[in-house]
Amino acid sequence: MVWTWRFEKEDGSQAVEAGGQEEFSSQGDAESWIGESWKDLVEGGADRAVLRDDDQVIYTMSLHEG
């Protein structure tokens, strides 16, 4: 299993990812990384993040506070 994030704008289009696609060996690792990186992602134009396990979407979340 490979865990990845997809970053989207409000309109559903893919936001540009700084540094390329990160891959994680567990859901916990992926969630820890997003917890440390979400502010930079918002500054880069992302509005939401989609967690994927291989090709399966696990969940989508907003990157905006509140």
Side-chain angles (χ1 to χ4, degrees):
M1 289 195 269
V2 176
W3 297 81
T4 57
W5 290 102
R6 173 183 162 90
F7 306 106
E8 299 178 344
K9 298 177 184 180
E10 282 296 326
D11 65 5
S13 63
Q14 186 167 354
V16 176
E17 301 158 27
Q21 181 75 25
E22 295 278 341
E23 294 184 352
F24 305 92
S25 59
S26 71
Q27 182 174 353
D29 289 345
E31 290 171 338
S32 293
W33 180 86
I34 199 85
E36 297 169 1
S37 304
W38 69 271
K39 288 181 182 180
D40 293 331
L41 295 165
V42 170
E43 288 177 8
D47 293 306
R48 62 180 167 240
V50 180
L51 181 61
R52 300 172 58 94
D53 177 10
D54 292 323
D55 290 330
Q56 180 181 1
V57 172
I58 305 301
Y59 62 83
T60 301
M61 67 178 199
S62 172
L63 293 175
H64 297 282
E65 296 181 77

